[in-house]
Amino acid sequence: MTKPETKSRTDGALPDGSTPAFDLTSEMTGFLNDFSQFQADIKSRLQKQEERMTHLDRKNFARTARPALSATVEASVPHQKAMQSYLRNGDDDALRGLELDGKSLNTSVNSDGGYLVDPQTADTIRGVLRSSSSLRAIANVVNVEATAFEVLVDHTEMGSGWATETGASVETDTPQFERISIPLHELSALPKASQRLLDDSAFDVEGWLAGRIADKFAAAEAAAFVAGDGIDKPKGFLTHTSVADAGWTWGSLGYIATGADGEFATGQAADAIVDLVYALGARYRANASFVMNSKTAGAVRKMKDADGRFLWSDGLAAGEPARLMGYPVLIAEDMPDIASGAEAIAFGDFGAGYTIAERPDLRILRDPFSAKPHVLFFATKRVGGDVSDFAAIKLLKFSEV
């Protein structure tokens, strides 16, 4: 029997002459190698992405962790430097090219050569004015951009009536409006300093200037709001005509007499204060305050009621005003002393009764020529004030009737 001869083939063909589709072992090895390379590439990309996100997180954290004050300081530093340069040596180049935020100041150069004060100095002055013993603390203060501020007041009754189901309606009275115009006047201050002092870098020129201007403005305003005649200055509430409260009419202030000329009535001192409080309408008493000077406050502080209790009480916490019969007391030194016929005590809702109108900007003009070797700083501010509701304020007059 003859064995069949088996011959090897070098072309990889099977004995029947067919070619295999693939070598399973080699193909699996190649697939695993490719998958490992793909996996390593994905891991590398994810690691780079994670490093990038970590870097961004750290950058954002550092930005948010920065103190909030720094942003404000950085925004105001150019204006502060420019203002200091102008105040010290008159160099206005930086101010002329400075762009200001419309929320704080809307222009840098005035037509007369004056410059708006930087926000820090202006805030300091406004803070001092509000904290001073002035009607600003209790009056209605508004900012205007015009030359005057007008108030419309409805001080008449509209009228009403009862109607029946079938009866004809009766026409009622028509309310009438009163227009009160409060013009703005120019308030100015003229402090000066030597050029040598301004050249000293240790000298805080802005702080000094703000303090001097605030002192002058506060004193002038406080006096005008109480007794100003309205000529080139605000009109004080004591300047208006006063009449006995029993015959009060719109356009004048009602007063209550103490019953004694130049003093409180003997044995009835507290009664005058009580009468003054209840002469004011109930809707005004909720927000009412007393206004008097220190001498008058010293006399009122000793008053007692019929049971021997003091009418005066000090504030319960620091910064709170003293109270008289439960109402706060504003000590305004420009109020008159107790004297014959003097209206030394006022009581009312000054938030409704007196309006202060002002422009929000403060201007400064540097003058190095008029007072050599000193430098003058001409600061101006426009402000006005007047009574806006004559029913909201009552006076105590030291007279028999």
Side-chain angles (χ1 to χ4, degrees):
M1 183 175 181
T2 305
K3 294 182 179 181
E5 182 179 1
T6 301
K7 297 181 181 180
S8 62
R9 301 180 60 88
T10 59
D11 55 0
L14 296 178
D16 58 357
S18 63
T19 303
F22 56 86
D23 188 340
L24 182 60
T25 303
S26 61
E27 290 296 333
M28 285 298 296
T29 302
F31 172 75
L32 291 175
N33 290 336
D34 292 342
F35 183 77
S36 298
Q37 184 177 358
F38 171 76
Q39 189 177 20
D41 183 54
I42 291 296
K43 288 183 177 179
S44 176
R45 292 185 179 183
L46 289 176
Q47 185 176 2
K48 291 181 179 179
Q49 184 72 13
E50 185 176 359
E51 291 177 355
R52 184 169 178 270
M53 294 298 295
T54 302
H55 177 72
L56 291 176
D57 288 341
R58 290 178 179 176
K59 187 176 181 180
N60 291 333
F61 176 77
R63 182 179 302 172
T64 56
R66 184 180 303 169
L69 183 60
S70 63
T72 304
V73 172
E74 290 175 359
S76 60
V77 161
H79 195 283
Q80 283 184 330
K81 290 182 177 179
M83 193 66 189
Q84 286 183 358
S85 179
Y86 174 71
L87 294 178
R88 291 184 183 276
N89 50 42
D91 183 9
D92 58 359
D93 292 339
L95 279 177
R96 292 181 181 278
L98 190 65
E99 294 183 1
L100 300 178
D101 186 3
K103 294 181 180 179
S104 56
L105 301 172
N106 52 20
T107 183
S108 59
V109 181
N110 188 17
S111 58
D112 296 331
Y115 293 88
L116 291 176
V117 179
D118 64 282
Q120 285 71 27
T121 303
D123 288 343
T124 301
I125 294 172
R126 286 197 295 268
V128 174
L129 290 178
R130 290 195 184 99
S131 62
S132 62
S133 297
S134 160
L135 283 187
R136 276 183 175 273
I138 56 177
N140 178 32
V141 182
V142 295
N143 291 330
V144 298
E145 296 293 338
T147 59
F149 179 73
E150 293 189 347
V151 183
L152 293 178
V153 182
D154 177 15
H155 61 88
T156 58
E157 295 293 337
M158 183 175 62
S160 62
W162 297 98
T164 61
E165 182 179 0
T166 58
S169 299
V170 180
E171 183 177 351
T172 59
D173 296 335
T174 302
Q176 297 180 356
F177 290 90
E178 185 80 17
R179 183 186 297 271
I180 299 176
S181 180
I182 304 176
L184 270 63
H185 307 281
E186 187 172 280
L187 179 61
S188 62
L190 193 63
K192 66 179 180 179
S194 66
Q195 185 60 54
R196 181 177 297 181
L197 186 61
L198 295 176
D199 292 338
D200 187 358
S201 59
F203 175 57
D204 182 10
V205 61
E206 288 185 275
W208 167 82
L209 192 61
R212 293 296 300 274
I213 294 174
D215 290 341
K216 295 287 281 186
F217 283 6
E221 283 188 357
F225 295 154
V226 172
D229 58 9
I231 301 175
D232 296 332
K233 64 174 67 68
K235 190 169 185 178
F237 67 92
L238 290 183
T239 309
H240 288 275
T241 304
S242 61
V243 298
D245 192 60
W248 175 82
T249 57
W250 182 265
S252 59
L253 296 180
Y255 71 80
I256 299 297
T258 60
D261 188 23
E263 59 182 356
F264 289 101
T266 304
Q268 299 177 349
D271 294 348
I273 301 295
V274 175
D275 292 341
L276 175 63
V277 169
Y278 289 98
L280 189 68
R283 63 171 179 157
Y284 297 114
R285 283 201 301 269
N287 299 314
S289 302
F290 283 96
V291 180
M292 65 188 76
N293 65 18
S294 296
K295 291 183 179 180
T296 305
V300 174
R301 190 183 182 96
K302 305 172 186 176
M303 290 183 180
K304 299 180 181 180
D305 60 13
D307 297 326
R309 295 172 297 186
F310 285 100
L311 300 180
W312 186 285
S313 61
D314 294 324
L316 299 178
E320 284 192 358
R323 291 183 175 271
L324 179 60
M325 290 187 59
Y327 296 97
V329 179
L330 175 69
I331 303 299
E333 301 300 346
D334 295 285
M335 288 290 291
D337 296 334
I338 295 177
S340 177
E343 296 164 339
I345 300 177
F347 178 73
D349 180 4
F350 285 86
Y354 196 87
T355 299
I356 299 172
E358 64 180 0
R359 291 182 64 95
D361 52 353
L362 174 70
R363 284 177 167 82
I364 288 184
L365 177 64
R366 186 180 189 273
D367 181 10
F369 307 108
S370 300
K372 293 181 179 179
H374 293 86
V375 178
L376 298 176
F377 296 97
F378 183 61
T380 59
K381 179 181 179 64
R382 300 189 66 186
V383 62
D386 201 352
V387 174
S388 52
D389 189 346
F390 290 92
I393 302 174
K394 300 297 180 181
L395 306 174
L396 184 62
K397 187 174 183 179
F398 287 80
S399 62
E400 294 181 2
V401 291

